[in-house]
Amino acid sequence: DTFLAGARSAFEIVVNAFAATDKAALQPLLSKMVFESFASAIDTRLAAKEVLKTNLLSLKSAEIVEASLEGNNAVVTVKFVSDQTNVTRDTDGKVVDGDPERVVEHVDFWTFARPVRARDPNWTLVATQSP
């Protein structure tokens, strides 16, 4: 329960920080590889002068679908189901992607890891996947 509460919180923080182009909020939560991927997507959006607005309306469920030990790391994959609206607009406010009025159910699989002997209780997001 404690792990899933933290995972739910991380999901909300990451989704909102990504939309807000807040790399500083993302960096401590993500592995280097995941951060580089998110940062590249943010940079592409900024270069195009586009703004992403995400409304996370509800996080309907978060369930552990896989857990394992990989060497000295605990690895846990969580399936998140959420309702969101997502819209990307250009500098004139014109919609270039998404629909601000359309609620979409998103299913995401996020994998978190942490060294089993670490004193730091925080987990790091090491992979994301959407089916």
Side-chain angles (χ1 to χ4, degrees), residues 11-20 51-60 81-89 97-106 108:
F11 182 83
E12 292 178 21
I13 291 167
V14 170
V15 167
N16 291 322
F18 178 75
V51 175
L52 171 63
K53 175 70 175 166
T54 294
N55 285 321
L56 182 57
L57 303 171
S58 70
L59 182 48
K60 295 161 58 171
V81 180
S82 63
D83 284 336
Q84 302 178 27
T85 59
N86 294 286
V87 63
T88 303
R89 297 180 188 271
D97 188 40
D99 181 343
E101 304 301 320
R102 184 167 169 250
V103 177
V104 176
E105 181 179 85
H106 286 263
D108 296 286

Side-chain angles (χ1 to χ4, degrees), residues 42-105:
I42 288 170
D43 291 344
T44 298
R45 190 175 351 125
L46 291 172
K49 299 185 185 326
E50 295 176 342
V51 175
L52 171 63
K53 175 70 175 166
T54 294
N55 285 321
L56 182 57
L57 303 171
S58 70
L59 182 48
K60 295 161 58 171
S61 66
E63 71 175 289
I64 295 172
V65 295
E66 188 175 343
S68 63
L69 278 176
E70 294 180 11
N72 291 324
N73 290 314
V75 180
V76 179
T77 300
V78 178
K79 176 184 177 184
F80 293 101
V81 180
S82 63
D83 284 336
Q84 302 178 27
T85 59
N86 294 286
V87 63
T88 303
R89 297 180 188 271
D90 65 14
T91 56
D92 296 325
K94 180 181 172 195
V95 174
V96 294
D97 188 40
D99 181 343
E101 304 301 320
R102 184 167 169 250
V103 177
V104 176
E105 181 179 85

